[in-house]
Amino acid sequence: MYHGFRINASDRFLIEADLIGIHDDYLKKFDSGINHFPIIGSEVYAVNERIQKSVLDIGSKWRIEVGRSFNDPNIYISANPDILFGKHLGVFGNTGTGKTCTLASVIQGIKRRIYNNSDGSKSEINPKIIIFDSNSEYDRAFASEEFKVKIITKQELKLPHYHLNFSEYYKFLGASQGVQAPVLKASIKQLREKNKDVKKFNLSDVPTEIRKYLMAQAEKGADNERNKTFSFSQWYGWNATMINRIERLIEDEDLITIIETDQNTVEEILQSEDEVILIQADFNKDELDIVMFLFSKLIYEWSTKNRDKEHKNHVLILFEEAHRYINEDDAEEYKLGNYYIERLAREGRKFGISLIISSQRPSELSQTVVSQCNSFIVHRITNKKDFDVINKILSTNNQNLLSIIPGLEKQYAIVIGEAFGYSDVIKLFDANPTPKSDDPEVISNWKNNSAKVVTEENSTLDKDSTLDEFVRGIVGSAKSSNPDIDVD
């Protein structure tokens, strides 16, 4: 008997199968790849639970259990945590498919579901995880005392701008290469000399310093036969667009409080004992550009400087809604770009930095960053461009999984890559507590609003009717005492 069907020896079936590897019954070991092929007439057997576990075995010192097999819920699916968190992981899927819950579950599993493969024992884990929480969803998922958690609000984030180099200042402040870049460079140098510091200066002082520099240049021109026509107004006209941009940035109080500072949030995070750091990253587009650039540059500088330290702490960074700031096509005039995030993707592993890239639009992500991810958790995707990205990620042996992706239910995903023993469909473990990413209950919300409006209207009518009765009583009393009173 097999699934309720009786199979006779004389029956014949046509089966389409993908050859993925060889299982050695003697060694009880599965190896990916094929070194010989079955011939026509070879016997075919259903894979039993023991062989399936062997196929899914990750063959590492440690394992983290991430979910259950779709085909057999009794089989736990594990990943090699040294690869999952030591290299780069991509988590993709349409909005509402469970990405945030998946990430919360996987991170919670660091404390709950990491086992030693040799004896099944658990170990005390003290991670360092930075989460860019674009929608303020993760604080509920880490509300317990299981992790040492620090929440950094937008107002508390401090990333000093003076870590930028001159070429980065040119782009950030919109300095053209002809006249404006040399003027900006000279002005910054003068400010640093006044402060007697090789790096630090106040961005708010730059417009005034530029004007002083332009005035000095105009005065020099007055005594110079060749440059005598270059008046202050001409110099100012050539630099007006840059000065206006700098002044607009200074007027942005939210941004200037983040970058005009001597505090360094990155250093504070990396030197603290906090295990999960939630950065509330609800920035607008201009803020997001400079914040992400400075953050990734400060992380990169720290990691390279501390590369040779014996007991440095490995750092895992989760970029939520990554398509908003790790974008392939968004090359605006003043955009600083993804340079240091891409360097972290290419080189971060050597310095103890690994990334999790979460996005509902993988087709919009930097190709450099996606190419450096070697493990993926893919939820339902229906957009053609995004689907094409997943098609390129899947190896030839796993192309059959493509047809499944558009129909995946919430909480189900395909796991692919080096961290997993075999690419397959799994049901991710529940996050507990869950993040604040619940599906909207629109009708209940509208129903409650409707009830509220009706109640308010009734309340208004009651008040009006009582007031009317009160006024009518006063008028009636007045008219009875003096019939000649005219009351409208």
Side-chain angles (χ1 to χ4, degrees):
M1 296 287 291
Y2 183 72
H3 292 302
F5 295 96
R6 184 179 297 278
I7 299 176
N8 298 317
S10 59
D11 292 338
R12 293 289 183 267
F13 298 89
L14 178 63
I15 299 174
E16 184 177 338
D18 293 314
L19 303 177
I20 62 170
I22 295 174
H23 182 266
D24 190 316
D25 281 333
Y26 178 75
L27 297 175
K28 295 181 173 56
K29 181 182 177 182
F30 172 79
D31 288 317
S32 297
I34 304 295
N35 57 22
H36 67 272
F37 295 85
I39 61 173
I40 295 174
S42 297
E43 294 182 330
V44 178
Y45 303 90
V47 174
N48 59 36
E49 186 174 322
R50 177 179 62 82
I51 295 177
Q52 188 172 353
K53 285 182 177 179
S54 177
V55 171
L56 297 174
D57 181 57
I58 55 175
S60 61
K61 180 179 179 181
W62 302 95
R63 73 177 189 275
I64 177 170
E65 294 176 348
V66 295
R68 297 175 184 268
S69 170
F70 172 76
N71 295 314
D72 187 348
N74 294 318
I75 295 178
Y76 289 168
I77 303 300
S78 299
N80 181 340
D82 287 328
I83 295 176
L84 195 69
F85 305 123
K87 297 186 179 180
H88 307 313
L89 170 67
V91 180
F92 304 142
N94 292 159
T95 182
T97 56
K99 293 190 306 298
T100 306
C101 285
T102 290
L103 289 162
S105 172
V106 169
I107 293 172
Q108 289 168 353
I110 292 173
K111 291 276 191 178
R112 302 172 188 175
R113 299 188 300 272
I114 289 185
Y115 301 95
N116 189 315
N117 263 333
S118 59
D119 57 13
S121 62
K122 294 179 69 176
S123 181
E124 184 70 23
I125 306 293
N126 302 109
K128 177 73 74 174
I129 304 166
I130 303 171
I131 300 175
F132 268 86
D133 191 1
S134 300
N135 300 311
S136 300
E137 296 175 319
Y138 284 90
D139 52 341
R140 189 172 76 183
F142 299 100
S144 68
E145 297 181 358
E146 188 174 20
F147 290 85
K148 296 176 184 176
V149 179
K150 180 178 179 63
I151 298 175
I152 298 175
T153 64
K154 184 177 178 178
Q155 293 73 27
E156 295 170 331
L157 186 63
K158 304 296 178 185
L159 303 169
H161 67 82
Y162 53 75
H163 285 268
L164 297 174
N165 59 39
F166 281 118
S167 63
E168 291 160 357
Y169 274 120
Y170 301 156
K171 197 160 190 181
F172 174 45
L173 301 177
S176 64
Q177 291 298 318
V179 176
Q180 295 176 357
V183 170
L184 180 61
K185 184 175 183 178
S187 301
I188 290 174
K189 281 184 173 181
Q190 288 179 356
L191 285 172
R192 285 172 172 168
E193 288 172 5
K194 290 178 182 178
N195 295 334
K196 296 180 180 179
D197 195 300
V198 295
K199 292 186 71 174
K200 297 179 183 178
F201 67 94
N202 290 330
L203 199 62
S204 53
D205 294 334
V206 172
T208 301
E209 195 63 34
I210 289 175
R211 290 185 177 94
K212 289 180 181 178
Y213 178 82
L214 298 181
M215 182 64 73
Q217 293 301 109
E219 289 173 355
K220 284 181 185 178
D223 300 325
N224 188 315
E225 184 66 26
R226 200 178 92 186
N227 294 331
K228 63 181 179 180
T229 58
F230 294 168
S231 65
F232 173 79
S233 60
Q234 287 176 304
W235 278 103
Y236 190 86
W238 297 329
N239 290 275
T241 54
M242 176 180 67
I243 294 171
N244 291 339
R245 175 165 170 76
I246 297 171
E247 289 177 339
R248 287 199 305 272
L249 289 170
I250 294 168
E251 290 168 2
D252 186 343
E253 293 183 3
D254 290 337
L255 178 60
I256 207 69
T257 56
I258 294 173
I259 65 175
E260 190 87 297
T261 178
D262 285 336
Q263 284 181 258
N264 189 329
T265 298
V266 169
E267 287 186 357
E268 292 172 2
I269 288 172
L270 298 173
Q271 292 170 3
S272 73
E273 295 184 358
D274 300 312
E275 295 175 326
V276 173
I277 299 91
L278 302 175
I279 299 177
Q280 295 182 348
D282 55 335
F283 304 105
N284 66 39
K285 196 171 184 180
D286 288 338
E287 292 169 347
L288 201 57
D289 175 44
I290 182 62
V291 165
M292 297 308 301
F293 187 88
L294 274 172
F295 175 83
S296 56
K297 179 168 187 176
L298 291 172
I299 283 278
Y300 183 82
E301 286 181 346
W302 174 88
S303 61
T304 53
K305 186 170 64 177
N306 293 275
R307 178 179 184 178
D308 298 326
K309 282 193 176 179
E310 189 175 346
H311 299 294
K312 68 181 178 185
N313 200 353
H314 191 97
V315 180
L316 175 64
I317 306 172
L318 165 55
F319 290 121
E320 262 281 8
E321 301 290 345
H323 55 277
R324 291 177 57 197
Y325 43 88
I326 311 177
N327 198 303
E328 184 71 23
D329 300 322
D330 195 5
E332 297 181 359
E333 185 178 358
Y334 304 125
K335 186 174 173 62
L336 286 165
N338 311 315
Y339 178 74
Y340 283 101
I341 294 180
E342 291 181 350
R343 289 200 71 170
L344 288 173
R346 289 193 302 265
E347 307 166 26
R349 181 177 57 85
K350 298 181 291 186
F351 307 133
I353 305 289
S354 53
L355 311 178
I356 299 179
I357 308 298
S358 174
S359 175
Q360 56 185 279
R361 294 305 312 273
S363 61
E364 295 181 1
L365 291 171
S366 161
Q367 294 180 16
T368 299
V369 173
V370 174
S371 69
Q372 296 301 315
C373 295
N374 63 355
S375 299
F376 299 88
I377 300 175
V378 182
H379 289 271
R380 182 175 68 250
I381 285 179
T382 54
N383 181 276
K384 186 179 184 305
K385 288 184 178 179
D386 300 324
F387 198 71
D388 289 341
V389 173
I390 306 305
N391 186 15
K392 293 175 183 177
I393 290 170
L394 286 168
S395 66
T396 306
N397 292 336
N398 299 314
Q399 289 296 306
N400 59 312
L401 295 174
L402 273 176
S403 59
I404 299 173
I405 292 173
L408 288 170
E409 294 182 35
K410 188 173 183 177
Q411 203 176 349
Y412 286 85
I414 290 173
V415 292
I416 312 163
E418 187 182 348
F420 304 98
Y422 174 64
S423 301
D424 206 352
V425 182
I426 73 167
K427 182 179 182 181
L428 280 302
F429 287 128
D430 294 336
N432 184 24
T434 58
K436 290 185 286 192
S437 57
D438 308 302
D439 289 334
E441 297 181 357
V442 178
I443 301 305
S444 297
N445 177 269
W446 287 348
K447 187 176 179 182
N448 291 337
N449 285 345
S450 176
K452 183 179 178 182
V453 169
V454 170
T455 303
E456 289 175 351
E457 287 177 351
N458 290 342
S459 176
T460 302
L461 287 173
D462 290 343
K463 289 177 184 176
D464 290 344
S465 60
T466 303
L467 180 62
D468 288 345
E469 290 174 7
F470 178 71
V471 171
R472 281 196 295 271
I474 293 175
V475 172
S477 176
K479 293 190 90 174
S480 64
S481 61
N482 189 352
D484 294 328
I485 290 178
D486 185 18
V487 181
D488 290 331

